[in-house]
Amino acid sequence: MAATAPPRARPVPAGPAAELVWDPEGALHLGQTLGVLARGSADPLVRVAAPDVVWVTARTAAGPVTAHFSRTGAGRPLQRPVLVRAWGPGAEEFLREAPRWAGAEDAWEPFETSEAFRALPHRLRAARHHHPGLRLPSTGRVLDRAVLSVLEQRVTVREAVAAHRQLVRRYGEPAPGPAPEGMRVAPAAEAWGRVPVWEWHRAGVDGARAATVRRVAERAAALERLGRAPLDAELRRGLRSIPGLGPWTVAEIVQCTHGDPDSVSVFDFHLADTVCWFFDRRPGDDRRMLELLEPWRGDRQRVVRLLRASGFRKPSFAPRLHPEDHRRR
């Protein structure tokens, strides 16, 4: 990812809330950009309240924070200044990184002006035209993203979302300030390490995933440093050094913590089929998906995001999977 100059932002006197007004310097859709961080409409950590109104909670070195992203001032809707209001001990620290959460370090222009972009199918180029404010977020919150990604391993989205929501609400902290009902600050590393076996079981999390979360929590200090590390092979080796974090999990992490424009989630239950159905009009595997995306190496995650933004869905040939719950037997 090309380095960019720090965004121009100016603090604004705010009374009980710390505030920041930031010029995104181009189109930015807050809901589409930050929405990728959310899991469902009742996510305890990220809540998209409207297309350009998003609530997030986070934990900084100074303490927990609740932040509210919205637009202010006049001008085109996607180019108006962004207003970030934050509450809690970590408010001032969070405001320094808030623009990165909203894609300040993401640059689509080199891709959009490339031959590779012109080689995209019309539907994907049209998706970018219709969604010019879509950016890739860079939260730097490796621990939180790693825990969520581990809980999503080998289970359906519905199971993972329910488990994450249950554990965060039980072991997280109340969100500071006027956060929407149900929002929490994710548990600290120490809290994840103290979750007893029976609570993992109640949440439907098997022993292997629970053990991986504990290992992630034990490496929390190192993961915090990785959150500020460059997006390179060394970063991925650092993440892969933790047993239980494989290629899929690492890709899911860096797509959100570092705005990785290229990583592809191999071994995903749906992605390979979706990509192959779009390009080949038939199902396929990870090998074929990577072959199809190879012309856009360096920007393959952008292509995946455009594919999702286009509204394309692969054909369905079977009922939705409803996993059987054995916890109360």
Side-chain angles (χ1 to χ4, degrees):
M1 183 185 302
T4 58
R8 294 195 300 269
R10 57 183 176 87
V12 177
E19 292 191 2
L20 179 77
V21 174
W22 163 54
D23 179 3
E25 299 184 2
L28 168 64
H29 193 296
L30 288 171
Q32 290 177 343
T33 299
L34 290 166
V36 71
L37 305 175
R39 290 295 184 268
S41 59
D43 190 298
L45 307 183
V46 180
R47 196 75 56 87
V48 180
D52 265 331
V53 177
V54 182
W55 292 84
V56 304
T57 64
R59 186 180 300 279
T60 73
V65 60
T66 297
H68 177 264
F69 290 76
S70 62
R71 309 310 283 257
T72 188
R76 295 182 177 181
L78 296 184
Q79 296 182 336
R80 293 161 56 198
V82 176
L83 169 63
V84 187
R85 305 185 71 212
W87 297 263
E92 294 291 346
E93 182 175 340
F94 181 84
L95 290 182
R96 292 194 289 272
E97 62 188 63
R100 296 197 298 273
W101 281 64
E105 296 183 347
D106 184 34
W108 279 76
E109 292 79 6
F111 179 53
E112 292 175 319
T113 57
S114 68
E115 289 294 333
F117 183 82
R118 287 188 281 273
L120 280 173
H122 172 74
R123 182 166 181 167
L124 300 189
R125 286 184 281 114
R128 183 56 183 168
H129 174 75
H130 292 300
H131 303 282
L134 172 64
R135 299 192 187 187
L136 306 180
S138 300
T139 70
R141 292 298 186 278
V142 179
L143 173 63
D144 293 347
R145 206 69 203 174
V147 169
L148 174 60
S149 299
V150 169
L151 293 178
E152 292 180 332
Q153 293 174 347
R154 303 184 303 276
V155 297
T156 65
V157 172
R158 182 178 297 180
E159 291 173 286
V161 166
H164 183 252
R165 190 176 301 166
Q166 179 174 329
L167 291 165
V168 168
R169 287 180 176 173
R170 183 166 181 81
Y171 292 97
E173 299 176 32
E181 183 179 357
M183 291 200 73
R184 305 279 286 179
V185 178
E190 297 79 10
W192 283 120
R194 291 195 302 266
V195 177
V197 172
W198 58 87
E199 290 292 355
W200 291 113
H201 180 69
R202 286 175 181 169
V205 180
D206 59 84
R209 285 183 293 150
T212 301
V213 171
R214 286 194 292 270
R215 286 192 291 268
V216 165
E218 291 169 358
R219 299 278 294 275
L223 292 177
E224 183 179 356
R225 292 192 294 272
L226 289 178
R228 300 187 295 269
L231 179 60
D232 56 18
E234 186 67 25
L235 167 67
R236 293 180 177 83
R237 280 195 294 271
L239 292 171
R240 290 289 301 273
S241 70
I242 301 177
L245 300 191
W248 180 87
T249 310
V250 170
E252 291 287 307
I253 292 170
V254 297
Q255 287 164 15
C256 295
T257 61
H258 290 73
D260 188 350
D262 189 55
S263 64
V264 181
S265 301
V266 294
F267 306 122
D268 189 271
F269 189 75
H270 296 289
L271 183 61
D273 258 357
T274 299
V275 171
C276 292
W277 269 107
F278 180 80
F279 286 99
D280 282 349
R281 296 295 186 267
R282 56 178 176 167
D285 55 15
D286 285 322
R287 180 193 60 79
R288 180 56 180 160
M289 173 181 70
L290 294 177
E291 288 177 354
L292 291 167
L293 294 176
E294 182 60 28
W296 299 283
R297 177 174 288 276
D299 291 286
R300 293 175 296 178
Q301 180 56 206
R302 297 193 196 280
V303 175
V304 170
R305 292 296 304 278
L306 291 177
L307 179 56
R308 289 169 173 161
S310 75
F312 176 80
R313 297 290 183 271
K314 67 176 182 176
S316 297
F317 299 102
R320 181 187 294 272
L321 175 64
H322 292 282
E324 191 171 356
D325 190 345
H326 299 277
R327 286 172 292 175
R328 292 174 177 82
R329 295 190 175 185

